[in-house]
Amino acid sequence: GLRGQRNWPALWRSPEPRKTYQVLIIGGGGHGLATAYHLARDWGIRDVAVIEKGWIGGGNTGRNTTVVRSNYYYPASARFYQRSVEMYQGLSDALNFNIMFSQRGIVTLAFSPHELNLMARQVNAMQLNGIAAEILTRDDIARLLPHCDLSATARFPCVGGFLHASGGTARHDAVAWGYARAADTLGVDILQNVEVLGFEQMGGRVCAVQTNAGRIGAEKVAIAVAGNSTVVAGLAGIDLPVRSQTLQAFVSEPLKPVLDIVVMSGLHHTYVSQSDKGELVIGGDSDTMTSYAQRGSFATIERTTTGLLELFPAFSRVRLMRQWGGTVDLTPDRSPIIDRTSLDGLYISTGWGTGGFKAIPAGGAALAHFIAHDAADEYSSAFTFDRFRRGALLDEGAASGVAH
Ligand code: FAD
Ligand code: PYC
């Protein structure tokens, strides 16, 4: 079947690293690639390289469960994530690359009056922030999710939930590839299999990185390495309020269309959607120990699938096809950090944790703005280190999608 699939033109060049660049971005995930694209497109800064130790999209960007949504609580987060959803709406056109964005809606289920009360509060906040949200009764859910066990004899009988109609999914690797091709076309060098091993500074300012491909000089450097943030920032002597944990995901064998909406249950530590290929895409809470392993433990697989089958008993005969883990970068308040660091010329985007795929468009635009202007853009000014100094945390733990 693959015999005809030869001699396709490469989507981006694979240049040799130059000796210096104006801007170096460490990390070829969605955030690093989108930052390079926005630097080149919005601010005319094209002397840029993205340095990736493996292959682009091989980190969390290519390992996530593709949920895109803006159901956050605080105005600063709601504004930022809503901007990102709106950017996703135009992304296939902007990149001329089909990222298969599907706003199929997200249902979050409630299993007690208390949980439903909290959802009402969340829905009110979202509506005040202009984001699509409505409370659902059990009957509404029966209509939307005919295969869900809503019976009174279920272990946890469902009492309702809420719908975030503008949420959905996008094809994760297409997002990485689309940004990579667009950035490359604008002159950005994408350097794969190049690992940053250290930083050089002069007079308190970063001036180069050491890599397995030699020294590369730069006026400015940005770190966008997700679960490796503490390790890479540590090479520059910088401590971050970030912890790395494993988050796993699983896909089933392909099925005929059976689920046309994303379903989440905090109580069951489970969420599920169906991909365009027909696979059930399943995830749960993170493995709770600090780890850089891209695997994860069996206990989490068991807990997640148990929850899934309590919700959808009909999936009990479906076979799981693949399982993997990613290393997520968690801040204490589960909100991100986009800021300069204590080393002049060194910037960072981190703390995206379990929910940064949806943030790639707005996060890339925000980091590019910070690098170009040495200041946050209007959407991301709440996401600086300053909130930890002031104790003004932006606690989005409840909105971050999965338990951790
Ligand atoms: P990454 O995509 O991880 O890219 C960072 C890159 O840096 C990697 O490719 C890595 O190889 C590279 N790197 C690291 N160290 C170095 C070095 N020294 N030198 C050079 N390169 C280096 N978010 C959502 O919004 N919705 C979801 O449904 C969702 N589900 C998830 C499910 C799972 C299982 C996981 C693991 C995450 C999920 N997320 C989700 C979170 C989301 O995937 C991440 O927040 C997001 O992809 C982070 O993007 P990034 O570009 O910052 O990091
Ligand atoms: O952020 O929507 C999210 C999410 C879903 C699963 C993991 N993260």
Side-chain angles (χ1 to χ4, degrees):
L2 292 176
R3 262 185 319 180
Q5 308 297 324
R6 292 181 201 279
N7 304 322
W8 286 62
L11 290 187
W12 51 86
R13 298 163 297 126
S14 291
E16 286 302 311
R18 298 209 309 266
K19 292 238 170 315
T20 62
Y21 290 88
Q22 189 177 351
V23 179
L24 287 177
I25 296 165
I26 309 170
H31 282 274
L33 293 164
T35 302
Y37 166 74
H38 282 286
L39 273 174
R41 192 197 74 171
D42 302 349
W43 310 114
I45 300 174
R46 297 180 175 204
D47 183 11
V48 176
V50 176
I51 304 184
E52 166 54 52
K53 72 174 177 180
W55 65 95
I56 62 164
N60 291 350
T61 298
R63 291 167 184 266
N64 76 81
T65 43
T66 79
V67 178
V68 174
R69 57 188 175 83
S70 56
N71 48 348
Y72 284 72
Y73 184 73
Y74 290 101
S77 336
R79 210 162 103 79
F80 176 84
Y81 287 102
Q82 180 61 14
R83 166 170 158 84
S84 213
V85 168
E86 285 166 15
M87 290 175 80
Y88 261 115
Q89 286 170 335
L91 201 57
S92 291
D93 278 349
L95 302 178
N96 187 23
F97 203 106
N98 186 3
I99 60 144
M100 299 166 73
F101 186 41
S102 158
Q103 290 179 288
R104 59 188 64 184
I106 300 174
V107 170
T108 308
L109 300 169
F111 296 90
S112 69
H114 320 290
E115 208 181 351
L116 200 54
N117 276 345
L118 284 173
M119 280 183 192
R121 179 173 172 258
Q122 167 99 21
V123 164
N124 289 341
M126 287 171 64
Q127 288 176 348
L128 287 170
N129 286 317
I131 296 168
E134 59 185 279
I135 284 288
L136 299 174
T137 64
R138 207 173 137 281
D139 288 347
D140 295 330
I141 293 170
R143 188 173 42 79
L144 291 168
L145 301 174
H147 302 294
C148 190
D149 182 3
L150 299 171
S151 62
T153 53
R155 180 174 173 213
F156 301 112
C158 177
V159 298
F162 84 98
L163 173 68
H164 173 37
S166 51
T169 56
R171 168 96 188 259
H172 50 5
D173 39 20
V175 172
W177 300 335
Y179 274 119
R181 185 179 70 175
D184 173 89
T185 305
L186 292 168
V188 170
D189 281 1
I190 295 169
L191 310 175
Q192 298 184 89
N193 300 310
V194 178
E195 179 171 3
V196 170
L197 303 169
F199 292 88
E200 278 180 30
Q201 45 177 297
M202 210 192 305
R205 189 175 175 89
V206 70
C207 60
V209 297
Q210 292 130 12
T211 77
N212 56 351
R215 177 189 191 274
I216 307 178
E219 290 170 27
K220 295 182 175 182
V221 179
I223 301 172
V225 297
N228 288 289
S229 295
T230 50
V231 176
V232 174
L235 298 173
I238 294 164
D239 272 341
L240 297 175
V242 169
R243 193 153 58 100
S244 293
Q245 288 179 196
T246 304
L247 184 66
Q248 302 188 55
F250 333 102
V251 291
S252 75
E253 61 189 331
L255 308 176
K256 289 195 173 168
V258 65
L259 184 66
D260 60 0
I261 206 158
V262 183
V263 184
M264 295 187 149
S265 166
L267 182 81
H268 292 87
H269 298 287
T270 296
Y271 61 94
V272 59
S273 64
Q274 189 171 22
S275 77
D276 296 297
K277 279 193 283 183
E279 301 158 349
L280 296 177
V281 181
I282 302 157
D285 51 356
S286 56
D287 288 46
T288 46
M289 67 294 252
T290 298
S291 170
Y292 295 93
Q294 291 173 313
R295 302 193 292 275
S297 64
F298 282 112
T300 303
I301 301 177
E302 192 170 30
R303 188 165 61 244
T304 305
T305 47
T306 302
L308 178 73
L309 297 186
E310 281 173 1
L311 289 172
F312 293 97
F315 294 161
S316 65
R317 309 264 299 273
V318 174
R319 282 170 297 196
L320 284 185
M321 201 167 59
R322 296 192 303 277
Q323 170 275 350
W324 63 88
T327 309
V328 293
D329 41 335
L330 300 169
T331 58
D333 60 0
R334 305 305 187 243
S335 287
I337 300 164
I338 307 172
D339 205 346
R340 64 172 77 81
T341 68
S342 51
L343 181 60
D344 273 358
L346 182 63
Y347 302 84
I348 192 159
S349 172
T350 185
W352 296 105
T354 59
F357 175 66
K358 68 176 82 64
I360 285 171
L367 181 59
H369 187 282
F370 220 122
I371 296 168
H373 303 284
D374 220 25
D377 72 2
E378 58 175 310
Y379 297 96
S380 62
S381 55
F383 301 142
T384 56
F385 286 112
D386 190 47
R387 72 179 190 274
F388 298 102
R389 282 184 210 109
R390 291 186 296 117
L393 299 190
L394 204 57
D395 190 344
E396 290 288 7
S400 59
V402 297
H404 20 238

